[in-house]
Amino acid sequence: AVVSTQSKAGAELLEKEWVVECVEMIKNQQSSIESIVPQDENGRRLAMEHFFSAIATVMSNQLRGAVQKALNDFIGLLEVYRNGNTYTGEYERGLPTLKNAIVIGLVSWEVD
């Protein structure tokens, strides 16, 4: 639920703020952009394809970084349970216990 909420919030941020800011930047710099874009139709199309390809690459790299950070955060959450959560000794009264962050079931079968 948390990941879904954060994903929706991130998508909303991209859609409502980031894209709007990009469009505004392009509008504000239109005359500068026009001066470096070829005037013939084929040249303009090719230049714009390169431009948007570069933007897509930057966006892809940022997304990859965000996913990597999210995975590292998730791994950090699971690292707390690295040694398992079994305890065979006596619990003292008031001993703080660590709640399970996630319950994972494992199913295995043999493949012939």
Side-chain angles (χ1 to χ4, degrees):
V2 173
V3 173
S4 177
T5 302
Q6 288 178 340
S7 294
K8 286 178 185 174
E12 198 170 290
L13 176 74
L14 286 174
E15 184 180 333
K16 293 185 178 175
E17 292 183 30
W18 193 84
V19 170
V20 173
E21 286 180 23
C22 287
V23 169
E24 281 299 314
M25 259 192 290
I26 290 171
K27 277 183 179 178
N28 292 339
Q29 298 299 321
Q30 187 170 0
S31 62
S32 299
I33 293 170
E34 288 288 334
S35 69
I36 60 172
V37 174
Q39 296 305 309
D40 65 286
E41 189 174 327
N42 194 38
R44 289 178 72 81
R45 184 186 54 76
L46 191 58
M48 293 309 286
E49 283 178 13
H50 288 289
F51 175 74
F52 285 109
S53 177
I55 290 174
T57 299
V58 170
M59 290 174 67
S60 177
N61 289 340
Q62 288 178 335
L63 181 58
R64 183 178 291 114
V67 169
Q68 184 66 47
K69 183 181 181 321
L71 286 174
N72 288 340
D73 289 347
F74 182 65
I75 290 168
L77 175 71
L78 295 178
E79 283 288 321
V80 172
Y81 299 97
R82 175 181 5 170
N83 298 323
N85 58 357
T86 57
Y87 179 73
T88 57
E90 293 291 318
Y91 287 101
E92 295 178 24
R93 184 177 178 99
L95 178 70
T97 57
L98 188 59
K99 266 183 117 173
N100 291 334
I102 188 171
V103 177
I104 299 173
L106 176 65
V107 177
S108 66
W109 60 88
E110 284 188 34
V111 178
D112 293 329

